[in-house]
Amino acid sequence: MARPSLTLHPSEAVVVQAAAVIYAAYITTGRVVEGREQEWMQRSIQEALWIARTTDDSIQSDDEMR
């Protein structure tokens, strides 16, 4: 049986990490109830994307200055 393969770009990996931290916080605080995990995971991903986009809009990186 072949193992699943997943390759993320660095920017995607950062969003995954942020979403995982947000999702873990929801679990730890008891907000994620059984049967609604997918809903809370999707919310965490959307919030991580919002943070990433807001940060990107607010900060000019070294590459953008060229």
Side-chain angles (χ1 to χ4, degrees), residues 9-21:
H9 295 280
S11 59
E12 293 169 327
V14 169
V15 173
V16 167
Q17 288 175 322
V21 170

Side-chain angles (χ1 to χ4, degrees), residues 3-51:
R3 290 178 47 186
S5 177
L6 177 66
T7 304
L8 297 173
H9 295 280
S11 59
E12 293 169 327
V14 169
V15 173
V16 167
Q17 288 175 322
V21 170
I22 294 167
Y23 185 58
Y26 285 140
I27 291 171
T28 302
T29 58
R31 296 181 76 177
V32 179
V33 295
E34 189 173 336
R36 299 195 54 201
E37 297 90 352
Q38 187 173 2
E39 175 185 331
W40 283 96
M41 189 180 301
Q42 185 62 39
R43 178 178 175 158
S44 300
I45 294 166
Q46 292 302 317
E47 290 173 348
L49 284 169
W50 175 63
I51 292 168

Side-chain angles (χ1 to χ4, degrees), residues 51-61 64:
I51 292 168
R53 287 185 183 125
T54 302
T55 302
D56 187 48
D57 291 345
S58 301
I59 299 172
Q60 187 174 32
S61 71
E64 293 173 327

